[in-house]
Amino acid sequence: MCVILHHQIEITMKKIILLTAVLISSFSFAEISNSEKSILISLYNATNGSNWNTKWDLNQPVSKWFGVKVENDKVIELNLSNNNLKGALPTEIGGLKNVRIINFFKNELTGVIPASIGDMKSLQVLNLSFNQFSGSIPASIANASNLVSVELFMNALTGEIPSTINKLNKLELLSLYNNQLSGELPAELFALQSIKVLQLNSNKFTGKLSPDVANLKTLESLVLFDNNLAGTIPFELEKLNNLKEMNVSYNNFNGFVSKTLAEKDTFKMTMVNEFGVASTLNVVDKDKAIVNEE
C-alpha cells in the first residue's frame, strides 16, 4: 500500500514539475501585442533590416530579437546602435507607448525625426545622434514629458530649437551639437529646471546669450562654442554654482569678461571677429568690467 501511495505521489510531483516548466516557458516567451509587433516589423522593413549587422529572425519571439527588451509583454527598450540601419524612421514608431529607451546611435538614418515621437509618453532616453536626419526638431517632442536625455548631435538638422522645449521639466541632458540649427536661443530654453548638460556647439545660432541663463541652477556643463552668438557674455553665469565645464569660445562675443568665467572656459574666451580673426576677450575684475560697460 505504501509503495503504491509513494508511486502516485511521485507521478503527481512529476506532473507538477512538468506543468511548472511549461508555464515558465510560456511566460518567458510571451508575445507582445500584434500592434507593437507590427510597428517593429515596419521599422525593420523601413530601415533595410535584411542588411542590418545583426538581423531579426521574425519567426522568433520578439523578446529574442536583437536590441529589443520586453517586460510584461510590452516593448520597453530599442537599442540598435551601430547596426547599419538605413532609411527613414516610420511614423508608426510613436505607437510604442511603453518604450523608455530608444538608442539608434551611429547608423545611416535619413529623413525627418517623426513628430509621433511626442506620442511616446514613457520615453526617457532618446539617442538619434550620428545619423543623417534633416529638417527641424519637431515641436511635438515636448509631449514626451518623461524625457531625461535627448541626444541628436552629428546630424543635419536645421531650423530653431522649438519653444516648447520648456515642457521637458525632467530633462537633464540636451545634446544638439554639430548640426545646422540656427536662430536665437529661445527664452524657454532657460526654464529647464533640471538640465545638467547643455551642448549646442558647432551650429549657426545667433543673437545674444540671455542673462536668464542664470536660471539654470542645476547646470554642470555649458558648451556653446563655434556659433555666431554676439554681444557680451553675461556675468550672471557666475551665479551657476554647479557649473564645472564651460566653453563659449569661437563666437562673436565682445567686451569684457570676468577672470572667474575666463578661467572656466576651455579655450580661454577666444573669439572670432567678422573678418575671421581670432582674439581673446579682455579679462578684468567683474566690478571694473561693469563700470567700463556703463
Side-chain angles (χ1 to χ4, degrees), residues 5-287:
L5 180 61
H6 177 75
H7 182 65
Q8 288 177 336
I9 292 173
E10 187 177 0
I11 293 174
T12 302
M13 289 301 297
K14 285 182 179 179
K15 287 181 178 178
I16 291 173
I17 292 170
L18 180 62
L19 179 61
T20 302
V22 170
L23 287 173
I24 291 173
S25 177
S26 299
F27 178 78
S28 300
F29 300 109
E31 274 295 304
I32 63 173
S33 68
N34 289 332
S35 60
E36 284 198 336
K37 186 173 183 178
S38 176
I39 292 168
L40 292 179
I41 292 173
S42 293
L43 172 66
Y44 188 75
N45 292 332
T47 58
N48 202 19
S50 59
N51 286 310
W52 286 3
N53 294 335
T54 304
K55 306 172 184 63
W56 287 344
D57 183 348
L58 303 183
N59 294 316
Q60 288 289 318
V62 173
S63 57
K64 283 187 164 292
W65 293 2
F66 172 77
V68 181
K69 186 173 181 179
V70 176
E71 186 177 281
N72 296 325
D73 301 338
K74 301 186 185 304
V75 178
I76 63 164
E77 182 175 336
L78 280 177
N79 189 343
L80 297 171
S81 62
N82 200 20
N83 199 38
N84 198 37
L85 276 66
K86 296 182 179 181
L89 292 180
T91 302
E92 295 95 320
I93 197 169
L96 297 174
K97 307 291 187 183
N98 301 284
V99 165
R100 301 171 199 162
I101 298 174
I102 288 183
N103 184 358
F104 295 159
F105 169 77
K106 203 174 183 181
N107 283 288
E108 295 183 41
L109 294 169
T110 55
V112 300
I113 297 172
S116 60
I117 288 288
D119 297 332
M120 307 176 85
K121 307 300 183 185
S122 300
L123 192 61
Q124 298 173 12
V125 175
L126 176 64
N127 189 344
L128 303 179
S129 53
F130 223 114
N131 280 281
Q132 299 166 23
F133 286 107
S134 56
S136 59
I137 301 170
S140 60
I141 195 172
N143 295 328
S145 56
N146 281 304
L147 276 168
V148 174
S149 175
V150 174
E151 295 179 274
L152 306 178
F153 62 85
M154 298 293 288
N155 279 290
L157 297 172
T158 56
E160 301 181 0
I161 296 175
S163 60
T164 54
I165 195 75
N166 62 324
K167 293 181 180 179
L168 297 177
N169 54 25
K170 297 180 182 178
L171 194 65
E172 296 181 6
L173 168 64
L174 180 61
S175 187
L176 306 178
Y177 66 85
N178 280 87
N179 278 287
Q180 299 173 34
L181 298 169
S182 58
E184 298 187 8
L185 302 181
E188 291 81 3
L189 186 66
F190 306 114
L192 294 174
Q193 295 301 302
S194 298
I195 197 75
K196 293 180 179 178
V197 178
L198 186 58
Q199 298 174 325
L200 306 179
N201 53 288
S202 302
N203 279 288
K204 298 179 180 180
F205 292 117
T206 55
K208 297 181 179 181
L209 179 58
S210 171
D212 289 342
V213 68
N215 294 334
L216 305 179
K217 304 295 185 184
T218 57
L219 195 64
E220 297 175 4
S221 176
L222 175 64
V223 188
L224 301 174
F225 78 87
D226 190 24
N227 278 290
N228 298 311
L229 298 169
T232 57
I233 295 174
F235 290 110
E236 284 81 359
L237 278 169
E238 290 189 9
K239 297 178 182 179
L240 299 178
N241 296 324
N242 292 307
L243 193 63
K244 300 180 180 70
E245 176 190 25
M246 182 176 74
N247 192 341
V248 299
S249 289
Y250 293 96
N251 278 284
N252 304 133
F253 290 121
N254 54 49
F256 300 92
V257 67
S258 73
K259 183 179 179 181
T260 303
L261 293 179
E263 288 176 345
K264 284 188 176 182
D265 188 75
T266 306
F267 293 126
K268 307 302 181 186
M269 298 293 178
T270 301
M271 301 301 156
V272 180
N273 66 18
E274 58 189 296
F275 304 108
V277 179
S279 61
T280 56
L281 294 184
N282 293 321
V283 179
V284 295
D285 290 336
K286 184 171 65 174
D287 294 339

